[in-house]
Amino acid sequence: MQPDDLIQAYTSLFDREPTAFVEAPGRVNLIGEHTDYNGYPVLPMAIRRAIRIAVAPRDDIRVVVHAAEDRFKPCAFDVSDEIPRSEAGDWSNYVKAAVQK
């Protein structure tokens, strides 16, 4: 999804515009992921895929997340020291791990 499409989808879904938009390119490590923490060089390379996120703050501790693709179901949870995990393999666990205190 292109940035303008994401912002339009966000606005349609949440009935307001996002206050921030973030984009990070995908990457692959050509030498391998297990070498960098041993002090050896890796050769990361950006690829044409990217992650794009549109966000806006809320007045409470609730996090509501929707993916652009319908195959990923929406999720909502409260920010806390212990955020219950979703089932193994669920994409929302990545978001929950980043948010958990």
Side-chain angles (χ1 to χ4, degrees):
M1 182 174 277
Q2 295 303 311
D4 289 342
D5 297 328
L6 177 62
I7 292 168
Q8 183 178 355
Y10 182 100
T11 303
S12 175
L13 184 63
F14 293 106
D15 201 28
R16 63 178 176 152
E17 291 189 6
T19 57
F21 173 80
V22 180
E23 182 174 5
R27 73 172 203 174
V28 294
N29 287 337
L30 298 179
I31 297 176
E33 190 66 36
H34 297 288
T35 56
D36 59 350
Y37 59 77
N38 290 322
Y40 295 100
V42 294
L43 183 58
M45 177 181 84
I47 58 176
R48 291 188 181 184
R49 293 187 176 254
I51 255 197
R52 295 178 180 99
I53 302 171
V55 299
R58 294 175 52 100
D59 293 332
D60 56 16
I61 62 170
R62 195 85 174 142
V63 175
V64 179
V65 184
H66 287 261
E69 294 185 31
D70 292 336
R71 65 186 174 124
F72 300 109
K73 64 182 181 193
C75 86
F77 57 91
D78 291 336
V79 176
S80 69
D81 292 335
E82 294 292 326
I83 299 172
R85 293 179 185 169
S86 297
E87 61 189 49
D90 191 298
W91 75 281
S92 66
N93 288 326
Y94 292 101
V95 179
K96 291 176 177 183
V99 172
Q100 186 168 305
K101 291 182 179 180

